[in-house]
């Protein structure tokens, strides 16, 4: 096939994936099971079902079914903003003078501004199917809360979002978007939960943390009839839903006979990267093709590159099951870097296992170089990227420059997870030269890792 490749490769609606792809099915050595924090034994569906929706628990524990059909109602919703375009970055290639071919999958074409809607709509759907009244969650930077609010309003579900207090105050526009979609947004810690009141008594005037917001959201779900808790990344079910990104990317490349050489994504909790690489990784696992995968994380929160592969709590409040993952310790408080969505101490257990098997590379990058890449990209390709996404942009540019030096014309594919309109305060800091880089010292990391659970 030698068709001229358009700037944007769109799939027809009829070419959209009908199934999510579960990469765990193709792994000979599976990710380690979630453990019940009270017993130290693999957690049962029954115990998980008290916190999460039934069908999502099934997906969480499913290591064997390769394809999970996407329910028609979810496909219909996906059609409002998908298929997402796969863009050939001709202008960037030209500017860089690289023989490499650069492609990016753009997930910012919806009001939530990120890929998170792909899983939010699935989770809201299963909650509705189960006859629930509503769901609760936490949000830090606000992207997940926004996506979930949109999904819940579509299915007429109540949505309670605990938003880390400092974000609630610093990001009033995110908060109002959520309220526009009918969500009930509470700054965390709050007096509406026992755990919130306890934290407030202990630390009056605290501006909150993600860990604390998770604890409040879980309590709000488990103490109310007809509510469950939902999570926007890290869990295997979320990575499963995000495989729609990779399935579409692969279908678009296949349509033009293009074989990716390098696939790059930013890694917070690992769901977008895991979803993007899933079908490619499947081929690699089955020995059908080889790819070079690169996970990009912030140097300020380097779970893969400097963390340990052990069982840890998924939340600072220590209420969720234990997961074996690359972690900096649930007690690690990442520096206030601006890529809010990448400030997580751990990593998806599936991605962790793939990384541990040597099937993927990980790199960490510094914030100022990330913003420099973001701005460079915005000026050439037009899209104003989210700081999180810009981690992937930075490494894609690095790889394209390497190709310029070696003369290789590799196909580089990266995930552009979202837009950065709500991150202009960070851009402002960068423009004013007030942005600094931060890398935790070995002592700081040792401190975070000193409180790992004993299993
Ligand atoms: C949340 C978020 C991320 C991080 O995604 P993970 O799947 O948790 O790694 C990346 N980019 C954007 C724009 C986000 O909102």
């Amino acid at each position: 096939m030698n068709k001229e490749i358009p700037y944007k490769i769109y799939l027809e609606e009829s070419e959209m994936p009908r199934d999510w792809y579960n990469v765990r099915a193709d792994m000979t050595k599976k990710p380690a099971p979630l453990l019940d924090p009270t017993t130290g034994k693999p957690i049962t569906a029954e115990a998980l079902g008290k916190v999460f929706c039934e069908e999502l628990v099934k997906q969480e524990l499913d290591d064997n079914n390769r394809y999970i059909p996407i329910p028609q109602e979810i496909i219909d919703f996906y059609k409002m903003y998908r298929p997402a375009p796969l863009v050939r970055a001709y202008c960037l290639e030209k500017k860089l003078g690289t023989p490499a071919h650069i492609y990016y999958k753009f997930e910012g074409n919806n009001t939530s501004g990120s890929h998170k809607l792909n899983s939010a709509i699935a989770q809201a759907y299963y909650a509705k199917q189960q006859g629930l009244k509503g769901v609760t969650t936490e949000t830090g930077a606000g992207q997940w809360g926004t996506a979930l609010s949109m999904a819940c309003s579509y299915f007429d579900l109540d949505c309670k979002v605990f938003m880390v207090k400092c974000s609630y105050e610093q990001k009033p526009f995110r908060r109002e978007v959520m309220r526009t979609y009918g969500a009930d947004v509470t700054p965390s810690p709050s007096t509406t939960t026992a755990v919130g009141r306890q934290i407030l008594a202990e630390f009056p005037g605290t501006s909150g943390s993600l860990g604390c917001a998770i604890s409040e959201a879980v309590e709000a779900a488990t103490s109310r009839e007809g509510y469950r808790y939902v999570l926007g990344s890290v869990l295997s079910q979320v990575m499963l839903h995000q495989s729609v990104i990779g399935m579409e990317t692969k279908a678009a490349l296949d349509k033009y006979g293009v074989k990716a050489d390098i696939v790059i994504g930013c890694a917070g909790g690992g769901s977008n990267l895991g979803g993007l690489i899933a079908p490619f990784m499947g081929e690699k696992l089955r020995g059908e093709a080889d790819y070079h995968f690169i996970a990009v994380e912030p140097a300020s929160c380097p779970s893969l590159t400097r963390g340990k592969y052990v069982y840890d709590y998924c939340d600072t409040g220590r209420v969720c099951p234990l997961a074996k993952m690359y972690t900096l310790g649930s007690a690690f408080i990442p520096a206030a870097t601006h890529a809010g969505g990448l400030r997580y101490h751990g990593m998806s257990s599936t991605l962790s296992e793939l990384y541990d098997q040597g099937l993927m590379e990980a790199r960490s990058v510094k914030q100022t170089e990330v913003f420099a890449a973001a701005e460079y990209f915005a000026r050439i390709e037009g899209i104003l990227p989210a700081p999180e996404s810009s981690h992937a942009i930075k490494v894609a540019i690095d790889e394209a420059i390497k190709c310029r030096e070696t003369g290789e014309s590799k196909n580089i594919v990266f995930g552009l997870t979202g837009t950065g309109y709500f991150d202009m305060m960070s851009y402002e800091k960068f423009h004013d030269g007030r942005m600094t880089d931060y890398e935790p010292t070995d002592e700081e990391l040792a401190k975070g890792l000193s409180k790992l659970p004993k299993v």
Side-chain angles (χ1 to χ4, degrees):
M1 247 183 295
N2 224 341
K3 277 186 268 182
E4 167 120 32
I5 296 163
Y7 272 70
K8 287 202 190 96
I9 307 179
Y10 278 108
L11 297 174
E12 303 290 333
E13 276 181 13
S14 60
E15 295 169 311
M16 284 171 68
R18 301 278 135 178
D19 304 283
W20 290 304
Y21 166 64
N22 181 9
V23 73
R24 287 170 286 167
D26 281 312
M27 294 170 70
T28 333
K29 182 164 178 254
K30 309 284 182 196
L34 294 172
L35 300 184
D36 191 322
T38 54
T39 63
K41 299 224 165 68
I43 198 152
T44 59
E46 196 195 345
L48 274 178
K50 295 200 175 102
V51 182
F52 299 106
C53 305
E54 272 162 39
E55 197 57 35
L56 293 167
V57 168
K58 273 192 211 153
Q59 295 179 357
E60 193 62 34
L61 299 177
D62 186 346
D63 281 349
N64 297 308
N65 286 303
R66 188 174 281 157
Y67 294 105
I68 316 272
I70 308 175
Q72 188 59 44
E73 288 92 328
I74 300 177
I75 292 182
D76 292 342
F77 185 88
Y78 278 168
K79 281 183 189 163
M80 287 196 276
Y81 70 101
R82 310 196 70 83
L86 181 71
V87 184
R88 170 80 185 269
Y90 279 115
C91 301
L92 180 63
E93 291 168 17
K94 197 168 154 205
K95 189 83 177 180
L96 289 169
T98 177
H101 292 186
I102 308 173
Y103 297 85
Y104 57 88
K105 182 71 168 167
F106 183 49
E107 290 290 328
N109 264 336
N110 68 77
T111 301
S112 81
S114 83
H115 65 282
K116 293 205 171 68
L117 193 55
N118 301 333
S119 181
I121 194 63
Q123 298 196 42
Y125 168 80
Y126 291 117
K128 190 71 186 179
Q129 285 299 102
Q130 197 175 324
L132 298 178
K133 289 186 201 131
V135 293
T136 71
T137 199
E138 76 289 335
T139 198
Q143 288 101 317
W144 168 244
T146 312
L148 190 68
S149 308
M150 291 175 71
C152 285
S153 70
Y154 183 74
F155 284 122
D156 210 5
L157 279 168
D158 186 32
C159 179
K160 292 192 190 307
V161 181
F162 289 86
M163 186 170 188
V164 179
K165 196 184 268 168
C166 61
S167 304
Y168 183 90
E169 284 157 3
Q170 283 167 9
K171 296 197 163 187
F173 293 164
R174 274 265 177 231
R175 183 184 75 209
E176 289 318 311
V177 178
M178 287 185 252
R179 292 176 62 197
T180 301
Y181 287 93
D184 167 33
V185 189
T186 307
S188 164
S190 74
T191 53
T192 66
T193 65
V195 60
R197 287 190 294 272
Q198 196 185 324
I199 292 167
L200 283 173
E202 217 173 309
F203 309 98
T206 174
S207 58
S209 73
L210 209 49
C212 161
I214 295 179
S215 309
E216 286 206 88
V218 171
E219 182 185 321
T222 50
S223 62
R224 268 186 188 80
E225 189 64 33
Y227 281 77
R228 290 294 184 279
Y229 169 65
V230 296
L231 201 58
S233 186
V234 189
L235 297 176
S236 302
Q237 53 182 279
V238 184
M239 181 167 153
L240 174 73
H241 306 146
Q242 296 299 356
S243 70
V244 69
I245 305 172
M247 302 280 280
E248 280 186 11
T249 302
K250 185 139 193 329
L253 290 172
D254 287 350
K255 206 166 159 174
Y256 286 88
V258 176
K259 152 84 177 56
D261 296 303
I262 309 179
V263 189
I264 303 167
C266 63
S271 74
N272 87 80
L273 172 68
L276 171 67
I277 68 175
F280 302 97
M281 183 60 88
E283 289 191 342
K284 182 160 171 151
L285 288 165
R286 298 190 300 270
E288 295 163 10
D290 198 14
Y291 299 95
H292 179 186
F293 302 109
I294 310 176
V296 192
E297 58 184 13
S300 60
C301 192
S303 336
L304 288 169
T305 50
R306 292 175 73 195
K308 262 192 184 168
Y309 190 35
V310 288
Y311 270 103
D312 194 10
Y313 298 98
C314 290
D315 59 311
T316 325
R318 305 181 164 196
V319 285
C320 296
L322 302 176
K324 189 176 179 195
M325 57 186 174
Y326 275 86
T327 180
L328 299 168
S330 64
F332 178 79
I333 310 273
T337 138
H338 301 289
L342 305 183
R343 291 184 62 201
Y344 183 66
H345 66 275
M347 187 57 62
S348 134
S349 59
T350 306
L351 269 193
S352 293
E353 179 55 34
L354 292 167
Y355 177 62
D356 198 58
Q357 292 179 23
L359 295 163
M360 180 177 86
E361 186 198 334
R363 279 187 213 169
S364 73
V365 289
K366 294 190 191 122
Q367 164 158 267
T368 50
E369 55 185 14
V370 165
F371 273 83
E375 191 174 85
Y376 183 81
F377 183 84
R379 291 179 185 185
I380 298 162
E381 286 285 322
I383 290 171
L384 197 156
E388 293 90 344
S389 322
S390 306
H391 287 67
I393 295 177
K394 160 73 182 137
V395 168
I397 291 177
D398 287 350
E399 288 300 312
I401 291 173
K402 267 190 215 160
C403 287
R404 183 173 72 201
E405 284 154 9
T406 61
E408 285 171 288
S409 106
K410 289 187 182 170
N411 290 318
I412 301 173
V413 178
F414 74 90
L416 209 178
T417 48
T419 46
Y421 304 125
F422 290 101
D423 299 285
M424 295 327 287
M425 302 273 270
S426 320
Y427 274 91
E428 181 187 50
K429 267 200 177 149
F430 175 69
H431 295 142
D432 291 347
R434 287 186 289 117
M435 182 175 278
T436 51
D437 288 321
Y438 171 79
E439 283 179 86
T441 61
D442 289 341
E443 290 72 48
E444 282 170 294
L445 290 186
K447 211 169 133 200
L449 289 167
S450 66
K451 296 199 184 102
L452 292 169
K454 291 187 183 52
V455 285

